[in-house]
Amino acid sequence: MDWSKTKTIFIITFLILDCFLGYQFMEKRNSSQLDVILETTIEEQLEANGITYVELPKEITKATYVSGKSKKFTDEEIKKLPGQKVTVNDGTALKGTFIHPISLNFKDPYRLKEFLQRHIINGKKYTFWTFDEKSNTVVCYQTYDGKIIYNNESSKLLIHLNEKSEAVSYEQTMLDDLQKYERKQDIVPAIKAIETLYKKGYLQPGDRVTSVELGYYGLVQFTTSQVLTPTWHIVINGKKDYFINAFEGQIINDEGKILE
């Protein structure tokens, strides 16, 4: 036996074995680290990135689709409107002009509510959404069952102001015969909707989610009949609005289309 050759073979064999065992150890360690990463909750990931959020609604776990159609404003309803000149296009788009401008402090919820109930058909069914400074217009959205119907051309109220913050005219559309579907479905929890924004890059380190509420969004708009889907409305840093389909968990863009 050539002992020198045998020793060399043993040394090479042990080196190969050491390399193999080292490789196996590294694979297991990396796999273990990956498991830890995968087990990290969305709450922990947000905290690690300095992303904070308001208290999230937890009591809502199921919801249904809602169907409705464009309201036809009647002559009887129009006759009850005080101090206005009113025209209606196709029976569904009402435009009113006040004979005398009316002072409107839209920043005061009580005053706005009073104005809507006194001067707008079914005014109590609308709520303030935003103020467009460029056009000096107060934008209100219709509500149903205490929830807002977002960005819907068939359920919107636009109140035009003059330079004295007086209401001079308005345009109104409304959805009627709103009814819930009988079958309730599980909805995506609010934290999962936030997770969608985070994974898609809409939430950046240091951001704060300042508002989370459930409302409705039209699946198909600009039609006389509509189906509304439960939708999470999420506001980031008090400025940017996002809408998440509460059934599918997908982001809805400004045109009501689902984003991939």
Side-chain angles (χ1 to χ4, degrees), residues 121-239:
I121 295 174
N122 292 322
K124 65 181 180 180
K125 294 184 178 180
Y126 292 87
T127 190
F128 175 80
W129 176 252
T130 190
F131 177 67
D132 187 337
E133 295 183 358
K134 291 183 179 180
S135 62
N136 217 27
T137 299
V138 178
V139 181
C140 297
Y141 286 163
Q142 185 180 344
T143 63
Y144 172 68
D145 194 27
K147 298 177 179 61
I148 300 175
I149 303 172
Y150 303 114
N151 292 352
N152 198 306
E153 293 300 320
S154 298
S155 58
K156 182 186 292 187
L157 174 65
L158 305 177
I159 307 171
H160 305 292
L161 309 182
N162 60 18
E163 66 280 357
K164 298 179 181 179
S165 294
E166 297 173 324
V168 293
S169 64
Y170 67 93
E171 297 154 23
Q172 179 187 9
T173 56
M174 188 173 188
L175 288 175
D176 204 6
D177 294 334
L178 290 167
Q179 296 181 351
K180 293 181 179 179
Y181 283 42
E182 292 185 6
R183 180 172 173 267
K184 287 189 174 183
Q185 301 182 45
D186 293 330
I187 64 171
V188 174
I191 189 63
K192 287 295 183 181
I194 292 175
E195 182 178 14
T196 296
L197 294 178
Y198 173 70
K199 288 185 175 180
K200 294 292 185 180
Y202 295 105
L203 266 173
Q204 299 299 317
D207 281 345
R208 176 165 175 78
V209 176
T210 50
S211 178
V212 179
E213 62 180 354
L214 190 68
Y216 293 102
Y217 213 108
L219 291 177
V220 180
Q221 297 190 22
F222 308 108
T223 60
T224 55
S225 297
Q226 293 198 24
V227 176
L228 310 176
T229 185
T231 299
W232 287 112
H233 170 222
I234 298 177
V235 183
I236 298 178
N237 299 325
K239 299 178 181 179

Side-chain angles (χ1 to χ4, degrees):
M1 173 184 292
D2 190 333
W3 176 247
S4 178
K5 289 183 178 180
T6 302
K7 185 170 64 173
T8 301
I9 292 173
F10 272 113
I11 292 173
I12 294 174
T13 301
F14 278 116
L15 284 174
I16 294 174
L17 180 60
D18 285 343
C19 289
F20 175 75
L21 292 175
Y23 173 78
Q24 289 288 89
F25 173 76
M26 291 298 295
E27 282 289 296
K28 288 184 178 181
R29 190 180 71 170
N30 291 338
S31 176
S32 176
Q33 290 177 342
L34 180 59
D35 289 341
V36 171
I37 293 174
L38 291 176
E39 291 173 3
T40 302
T41 66
I42 181 59
E43 290 89 347
E44 292 170 334
Q45 294 177 48
L46 295 176
E47 183 179 1
N49 283 276
I51 298 172
T52 58
Y53 48 88
V54 296
E55 184 176 354
L56 304 179
K58 299 176 181 179
E59 69 281 2
I60 308 174
T61 59
K62 291 180 179 292
T64 68
Y65 289 110
V66 172
S67 63
K69 61 182 181 181
S70 294
K71 175 178 174 57
K72 293 279 188 178
F73 295 99
T74 67
D75 291 337
E76 184 178 352
E77 290 174 320
I78 294 171
K79 288 178 182 178
K80 294 179 181 179
L81 294 173
Q84 301 180 34
K85 295 180 180 178
V86 177
T87 58
V88 181
N89 182 24
D90 196 30
T92 61
L94 184 151
K95 180 172 183 178
T97 301
F98 296 108
I99 297 174
H100 302 289
I102 301 172
S103 178
L104 176 58
N105 181 8
F106 65 87
K107 295 181 180 179
D108 183 334
Y110 175 79
R111 296 295 182 188
L112 177 59
K113 182 178 179 180
E114 183 181 47
F115 172 88
L116 294 176
Q117 291 183 346
R118 180 174 297 181
H119 302 285
I120 304 298
I121 295 174
N122 292 322
K124 65 181 180 180
K125 294 184 178 180
Y126 292 87
T127 190
F128 175 80
W129 176 252
T130 190
F131 177 67
D132 187 337
E133 295 183 358
K134 291 183 179 180
S135 62
N136 217 27
T137 299
V138 178
V139 181
C140 297
Y141 286 163
Q142 185 180 344
T143 63
Y144 172 68
D145 194 27
K147 298 177 179 61
I148 300 175
I149 303 172
Y150 303 114
N151 292 352
N152 198 306
E153 293 300 320
S154 298
S155 58
K156 182 186 292 187
L157 174 65
L158 305 177
I159 307 171
H160 305 292
L161 309 182
N162 60 18
E163 66 280 357
K164 298 179 181 179
S165 294
E166 297 173 324
V168 293
S169 64
Y170 67 93
E171 297 154 23
Q172 179 187 9
T173 56
M174 188 173 188
L175 288 175
D176 204 6
D177 294 334
L178 290 167
Q179 296 181 351
K180 293 181 179 179
Y181 283 42
E182 292 185 6
R183 180 172 173 267
K184 287 189 174 183
Q185 301 182 45
D186 293 330
I187 64 171
V188 174
I191 189 63
K192 287 295 183 181
I194 292 175
E195 182 178 14
T196 296
L197 294 178
Y198 173 70
K199 288 185 175 180
K200 294 292 185 180
Y202 295 105
L203 266 173
Q204 299 299 317
D207 281 345
R208 176 165 175 78
V209 176
T210 50
S211 178
V212 179
E213 62 180 354
L214 190 68
Y216 293 102
Y217 213 108
L219 291 177
V220 180
Q221 297 190 22
F222 308 108
T223 60
T224 55
S225 297
Q226 293 198 24
V227 176
L228 310 176
T229 185
T231 299
W232 287 112
H233 170 222
I234 298 177
V235 183
I236 298 178
N237 299 325
K239 299 178 181 179
K240 184 63 178 176
D241 298 284
Y242 292 95
F243 301 95
I244 312 294
N245 185 311
F247 285 152
E248 306 296 334
Q250 297 167 306
I251 302 172
I252 304 172
N253 69 6
D254 294 337
E255 287 76 40
K257 298 178 180 179
I258 297 294
L259 297 179
E260 295 297 333

